[in-house]
Amino acid sequence: MRLAELKNHQRELYHFQLRIGIAAIAVSVAFALLAARFVYLQVIQYDFYHTKAEDNRISVVPIAPNRGLILDRNGVVLARNYSAYTLEIMPGKVADPERTVNELADVIEIQAKDRTRFRKLMQELRNAESIPIRTRLSDEEVARFAAQRYRFPGVEIKARLFRQYPKGELASHVIGYIGRINQAEKEKLDEEGLAANYRGTDFIGKTGIEASYQQELHGAAGVEQVEIDAAGRGIRTLSRTSPQSGNNLTLTLDIKLQEVAEAAFGDRRGALVAIDPTTGGVLALVSKPGFDPNLFVDGIDAASWEALNSSPDRPLNNRALTGQYPPGSTFKPFMALAALELGKRSASYTISDPGFFSLPGVSHRWRDWKAGGHGAVDMHRSIVISCDTYYYGLGNELGIDNIHGFISRFGFGAKTGIDIDGEKSGLLPSQDWKMKRYRQKWFAGDTISVAIGQGYNLATPVQLAYATAILAANGAGYHPHLVARVENARTGEMRSLESSPERGASFNPAHVALVKSAMVDVTRPGGTAARAGAGAPYTFAGKTGTAQVIAMRQGEKYDEKRVAERHRDHALFIAFAPAESPKIALAVLVENGGHGSSVAAPLARAVLDYYLLGTQPESASRPADADDEEEEAD
């Protein structure tokens, strides 16, 4: 019994040694796997993990380039940059952005509009590295945050460049504005292979010169390598590739002339375009009302956007390029030249104007603006007094296809190609156009209305100015443009964008001289713009125009006082001066202004006086022999 109870030491020793062996094998295998893993990580995957480690230690930070300046022809700065501090939150490093914003509000003032903009940017810029919660911090605010910085991991103060438009609303439709890059613009940059150059850039040109010359103005992004700590804060800069500033643009625009033109409009709505007929350079481009582009730089607030977007005056619309209006009687000089060039009428051909025109077999009468008519009217007088009846008959004789073929040589019915986006093409109708548009044939009555710049006829103010410049230059058409020179910000090298004539129309000089002579007499006693031309120390040619907004019924006489303000006729005027050697050609349109003679022509005179004389005009005196009806013709 005692022997049976004795342990089998030999058997226990065997089991113990077996367990030791198994454990040793397991430990050896574990150490072998660990060694293999070390070899794999430290040798085979060395490059990969070394790069990862460097990425954790070194942050590659893109540097936005300094955006190029925009200057007028005399070097006046119209768009520039300034540096300011922004408070930015990095969404990837902040667990609860809303809570962080609430805590930041105890340190730095954060208004409701800042919160609204931040939430909007959080939705729009989901992959953004950082999003601003406050911009343009004061030095005191920067110091206050710096003292509390340890409390806010993932929040940084950054120095940013901001765009500024020192002239505010002046020339806003020309210069345009910049805004934050949206998703559609990001995708477009990706498609064009430009995304890399926009890393670190939050803004892009949205309208005007800022948009059309975005690539010239933007420059090339730089980059710097920054060593960071565990919290993601920069410790020191390891290397830096400086950004290359964008190019500076010098415009053909004369900002003082622009100011005079905008001031002359006052509270009226409308547009003015002035062109140098010898180069095509745009001297002034007005669209009233305008807007302050500074509102958009940092993201426009909801109240300001609502005010601009819902205004019945449509201040965001560039009327000079997108407004399509009947050209009215400003169309008549081109019709007269068409008659001469196509041999349909001679200068001496005279009609007897009874105050209306009618087609054979048609009961409808097209009335002249003057009841009872003008009596005997030749071509010269038809322009001076703006006789509708003369052009009703001329239009019928020419026919719509001849009108379309000839008048298109002045750029009507097509975009001028001006170097800012959004231009409309207007409408110079033809038989083919009407068939395609309405599936209807062209009627003789359609031509009658087109002949005096009404009916289907539509033109933009920039088209009218371009056509006037071509006439002033005896057929030479220079591409209208706003940028004269591009300056390389790094080398200072200047590149001219001035162009040679792109549209050359060959006209008989005697025919052009006849039309010009009549346009000069428009501004003299007896002409429809006599009041505007009174006392001018230079000779200028012009043509008044009135464009109907609503059609009148047969036999009904237009009475401005009985018509709602926004249904009143538009006032137009085209001009060039000095008539013998034109330096400026312009077109003016005042929406619902009434008569071109009393509203648009004086406005043009203010612009001509400043450009040619350097002075603003005194109120023009009324000529003693002026006829009230003739002055109010258009």
Side-chain angles (χ1 to χ4, degrees):
M1 188 72 178
R2 182 173 295 179
L3 290 175
E5 291 175 353
L6 292 176
K7 295 180 180 180
N8 189 336
H9 291 286
Q10 190 170 358
R11 185 178 179 183
E12 288 181 358
L13 180 61
Y14 170 76
H15 285 294
F16 175 75
Q17 289 175 338
L18 182 61
R19 286 194 296 269
I20 290 294
I22 292 172
I25 292 171
V27 170
S28 298
V29 170
F31 273 104
L33 292 173
L34 185 61
R37 184 62 176 169
F38 281 151
V39 171
Y40 176 77
L41 295 176
Q42 298 290 334
V43 179
I44 299 174
Q45 292 287 344
Y46 172 80
D47 291 336
F48 174 77
Y49 285 103
H50 179 267
T51 302
K52 293 282 284 184
E54 287 297 302
D55 287 344
N56 290 332
R57 184 179 70 90
I58 300 172
S59 176
V60 179
V61 181
I63 308 172
N66 202 353
R67 194 172 180 84
L69 305 179
I70 301 176
L71 308 96
D72 89 329
R73 67 190 297 122
N74 298 312
V76 177
V77 177
L78 306 179
R80 63 188 177 195
N81 311 297
Y82 69 94
S83 180
Y85 291 107
T86 64
L87 182 66
E88 304 195 13
I89 295 176
M90 292 174 273
K93 298 180 180 180
V94 174
D96 188 345
E98 283 291 337
R99 179 181 176 183
T100 300
V101 170
N102 291 334
E103 292 174 352
L104 283 169
D106 296 331
V107 180
I108 292 177
E109 181 183 9
I110 297 177
Q111 299 180 1
K113 66 179 183 180
D114 299 318
R115 294 173 182 267
T116 301
R117 182 185 58 202
F118 179 76
R119 294 189 191 102
K120 181 180 178 182
L121 291 175
M122 282 281 288
Q123 293 175 351
E124 294 177 353
L125 309 175
R126 297 184 182 278
N127 299 320
E129 182 182 340
S130 64
I131 296 175
I133 179 63
R134 262 291 311 278
T135 59
R136 285 171 276 197
L137 301 176
S138 66
D139 291 340
E140 180 184 347
E141 289 174 319
V142 171
R144 200 156 56 234
F145 174 78
Q148 301 289 324
R149 181 179 176 183
Y150 68 92
R151 293 174 48 198
F152 303 103
V155 181
E156 289 286 340
I157 294 281
K158 293 188 178 182
R160 297 277 191 184
L161 287 173
F162 288 88
R163 199 66 159 170
Q164 184 186 43
Y165 303 100
K167 296 296 181 180
E169 187 174 316
L170 189 62
S172 55
H173 287 284
V174 174
I175 302 164
Y177 61 87
I178 65 170
R180 289 192 174 273
I181 300 174
N182 58 37
Q183 189 60 37
E185 288 161 341
K186 280 186 176 181
E187 292 172 1
K188 184 177 179 182
L189 290 172
D190 282 333
E191 292 172 3
E192 295 174 351
L194 299 173
N197 193 37
Y198 281 79
R199 288 177 184 150
T201 300
D202 296 324
F203 301 93
I204 197 169
K206 298 287 187 176
T207 65
I209 294 294
E210 291 278 31
S212 297
Y213 287 85
Q214 168 63 28
Q215 300 311 318
E216 293 281 3
L217 291 164
H218 176 65
V223 66
E224 65 180 6
Q225 290 186 323
V226 180
E227 186 175 1
I228 58 176
D229 61 15
R233 300 188 180 97
I235 300 173
R236 62 191 176 104
T237 300
L238 301 177
S239 66
R240 176 185 172 90
T241 302
S242 297
Q244 297 178 356
S245 296
N247 295 331
N248 300 326
L249 304 181
T250 298
L251 307 186
T252 60
L253 203 74
D254 183 331
I255 197 62
K256 183 58 181 176
L257 182 70
Q258 178 86 15
E259 186 176 5
V260 168
E262 294 198 18
F265 266 91
D267 294 331
R268 301 184 184 101
R269 301 180 304 278
L272 177 148
V273 180
I275 297 175
D276 182 343
T278 65
T279 65
V282 177
L283 303 171
L285 191 150
V286 175
S287 178
K288 292 286 287 183
F291 60 92
D292 185 355
N294 291 296
L295 292 172
F296 292 87
V297 171
D298 196 29
I300 189 168
D301 62 275
S304 297
W305 172 250
E306 177 63 22
L308 288 172
N309 205 38
S310 62
S311 170
D313 293 336
R314 299 172 297 138
L316 295 177
N317 284 14
N318 188 343
R319 287 168 163 82
L321 271 64
T322 65
Q324 300 181 101
Y325 310 88
S329 293
T330 62
F331 201 64
K332 291 174 182 175
F334 306 101
M335 286 290 293
L337 187 58
L340 294 170
E341 288 287 308
L342 299 177
K344 294 295 183 179
R345 280 190 182 178
S346 65
S348 60
Y349 180 88
T350 303
I351 69 161
S352 178
D353 173 22
F356 64 88
F357 175 83
S358 59
L359 289 167
V362 178
S363 61
H364 180 83
R365 287 183 172 184
W366 286 268
R367 292 187 302 107
D368 192 280
W369 66 266
K370 183 178 181 181
H374 296 89
V377 180
D378 62 6
M379 183 174 288
H380 182 93
R381 190 162 184 257
S382 75
I383 295 174
V384 174
I385 62 173
S386 198
C387 176
D388 292 333
T389 305
Y390 184 94
Y391 290 93
Y392 292 146
L394 175 57
N396 188 50
E397 292 174 34
L398 284 171
I400 190 60
D401 288 336
N402 278 331
I403 294 173
H404 181 275
F406 184 85
I407 301 297
S408 63
R409 296 163 74 181
F410 289 92
F412 287 102
K415 295 180 181 180
T416 66
I418 191 170
D419 50 347
I420 50 177
D421 297 333
E423 183 183 10
K424 297 288 183 66
S425 61
L427 176 59
L428 184 61
S430 65
Q431 291 193 67
D432 288 343
W433 168 82
K434 189 178 181 185
M435 182 57 69
K436 290 177 181 177
R437 178 69 176 82
Y438 294 107
R439 302 295 181 191
Q440 294 178 359
K441 70 176 185 177
W442 188 268
F443 298 103
D446 296 332
T447 309
I448 306 306
S449 297
V450 168
I452 63 164
Q454 294 286 163
Y456 296 118
N457 222 342
L458 294 174
T460 64
V462 71
Q463 282 178 328
L464 276 175
Y466 181 38
T468 306
I470 293 174
L471 182 60
N474 302 322
Y478 290 84
H479 177 69
H481 59 279
L482 283 154
V483 176
R485 297 183 302 279
V486 178
E487 178 190 6
N488 188 304
R490 299 175 295 282
T491 66
E493 178 185 356
M494 288 284 190
R495 174 163 48 93
S496 174
L497 298 186
E498 299 286 359
S499 60
S500 56
E502 295 190 358
R503 183 186 295 272
S506 178
F507 301 130
N508 185 321
H511 295 162
V512 176
L514 188 149
V515 172
K516 285 186 174 183
S517 174
M519 292 178 70
V520 168
D521 284 347
V522 166
T523 67
R524 290 174 171 170
T528 56
R531 182 180 296 177
Y538 51 86
T539 303
F540 76 98
K543 183 67 193 79
T544 54
T546 300
Q548 287 184 341
V549 175
I550 56 172
M552 307 302 293
R553 291 189 293 270
Q554 173 74 7
E556 183 180 4
K557 185 174 175 60
Y558 173 78
D559 184 354
E560 182 178 292
K561 296 178 181 178
R562 299 177 61 184
V563 177
E565 190 268 340
R566 291 182 184 269
H567 290 166
R568 293 174 186 167
D569 294 344
H570 299 318
L572 298 103
F573 189 68
I574 60 172
F576 55 87
E580 59 277 6
S581 181
K583 297 179 181 177
I584 180 173
L586 57 80
V588 182
L589 179 135
V590 180
E591 284 188 3
N592 312 117
H595 298 285
S597 57
S598 57
V599 178
L603 199 156
R605 172 69 186 275
V607 172
L608 294 175
D609 275 3
Y610 178 78
Y611 189 70
L612 297 175
L613 306 175
T615 59
Q616 297 190 40
E618 299 176 4
S619 61
S621 60
R622 179 190 175 112
D625 60 344
D627 184 292
D628 281 348
E629 286 186 323
E630 287 183 346
E631 283 196 40
E632 298 305 316
D634 289 303

